[in-house]
Amino acid sequence: MFSKEGVEELINLQRVGDKAKAYQVRQVRQIIVKNHMAGE
């Protein structure tokens, strides 16, 4: 589980081999965009 102060969503990342699952990458991207965290 990952969290960040000021961000309501929690995300649980699980690997498939050595890569993240595709839907999890989409979820993380949506959270980054929603919370204006790009470039941090």
Side-chain angles (χ1 to χ4, degrees):
M1 286 293 238
F2 291 89
S3 65
K4 180 170 173 69
E5 188 175 325
V7 177
E8 293 180 18
E9 297 88 355
L10 292 175
I11 190 143
N12 183 17
L13 298 178
Q14 301 169 341
R15 292 186 196 184
V16 174
D18 62 346
K19 303 190 188 234
K21 294 179 181 178
Y23 77 91
Q24 293 173 328
V25 174
R26 287 190 297 270
Q27 286 177 336
V28 170
R29 184 183 181 282
Q30 288 172 346
I31 292 169
I32 290 169
V33 170
K34 176 183 171 187
N35 292 286
H36 309 286
M37 297 185 325
E40 283 189 17

